[in-house]
Amino acid sequence: MRKKIVAGNWKMNLTLAQGEQLINDILQTGLKLKEGQEVVVATPFPYLLKAKALLKNNPGFYLASQNVASEKSGAYTGEVSAEMLKSVGVDYVIIGHSERREYFQESNAALAKKIDQTLANGLKPIFCCGEPLEIRKAETQNDYVAKQLEESLYHLTVEQLKDVVIAYEPIWAIGTGLTASAAQAQDMHAFIRSQIAAKYGREAALHMSILYGGSAKPSNAEELFSCPDVDGGLIGGASLVAADFTAIIQKLA
Ligand code: 13P
């Protein structure tokens, strides 16, 4: 009943030519998506238009940006608004990635504004949450993630929440080769779903797609995706290699 999604976050990698090649390679595998499955490609801003043109006639393939401005429009040099993203054919927006939180000081409150801009323009947020290593060691990750959800999402109506996807990305697993175990991922995803249920009701919680991110690769994707509350993945490094990315997509249950 809920969408299964594999999203590739290219981060700040690849030239335009390399990106085009990657998308073409992915599409040329002839991958057939099953009902309810989606593939999302999150390119750097300058490639969005080109990526849209490549993806457009491929059912189930969607385009994402990796960020969006928290303001609507105006004198914000260097920023890109949700309206602009919509106008070039973007479908999803990654919001609150831990790299943006850490290196660009994005607060839960600022992320709430980004969520609002995104939804107001008919785009779907992929809202990232997840704890750093010291929080995991202190075993307080549930409280930490609950606060991220509360401060950035809980002002939304249940209707608005239908367009939100959550990605759980434990920071200690991102780009480190250290993946959360399937049990750790399942525990957190079930916790997130229970939080959504407590705030918005069971229906909303059952409808919510919750993706796992952090060193996901072809060799561990199947185990992660077989967890009942893991609805796919947000993939970094492995999304830059067509064979790896498509192998991960094929592990969707
Ligand atoms: P890696 O898959 O490279 O660990 O990155 C995960 C991530 O941050 C996706 O947004």
Side-chain angles (χ1 to χ4, degrees), residues 218-238:
S219 59
N220 59 25
E222 188 161 13
E223 199 188 354
L224 287 162
F225 295 172
S226 68
C227 298
D229 287 291
V230 177
D231 305 310
L234 181 54
I235 319 298

Side-chain angles (χ1 to χ4, degrees), residues 116-184:
D116 290 345
Q117 288 299 329
T118 299
L119 290 171
N121 285 279
L123 301 169
K124 295 177 183 143
I126 299 176
F127 177 72
C128 302
C129 57
E131 78 288 353
L133 186 58
E134 62 272 21
I135 295 290
R136 172 62 62 166
K137 281 187 175 156
E139 297 180 9
T140 54
Q141 66 272 12
N142 286 9
D143 290 346
Y144 188 92
V145 169
K147 187 170 153 70
Q148 290 179 319
L149 299 176
E150 186 182 334
E151 295 186 359
S152 298
L153 289 186
Y154 287 1
H155 63 290
L156 298 178
T157 65
V158 68
E159 206 46 46
Q160 288 176 307
L161 195 78
K162 285 185 180 154
D163 283 331
V164 177
V165 171
I166 292 176
Y168 169 59
E169 298 206 311
I171 299 172
W172 45 272
I174 295 177
T176 57
L178 195 71
T179 319
S181 67
Q184 285 172 322

Side-chain angles (χ1 to χ4, degrees), residues 205-248:
L206 288 177
H207 176 87
M208 172 68 70
S209 298
I210 308 175
L211 315 184
Y212 168 80
S215 298
K217 40 188 179 274
S219 59
N220 59 25
E222 188 161 13
E223 199 188 354
L224 287 162
F225 295 172
S226 68
C227 298
D229 287 291
V230 177
D231 305 310
L234 181 54
I235 319 298
S239 75
L240 300 173
V241 179
D244 288 350
F245 190 56
T246 49
I248 292 171

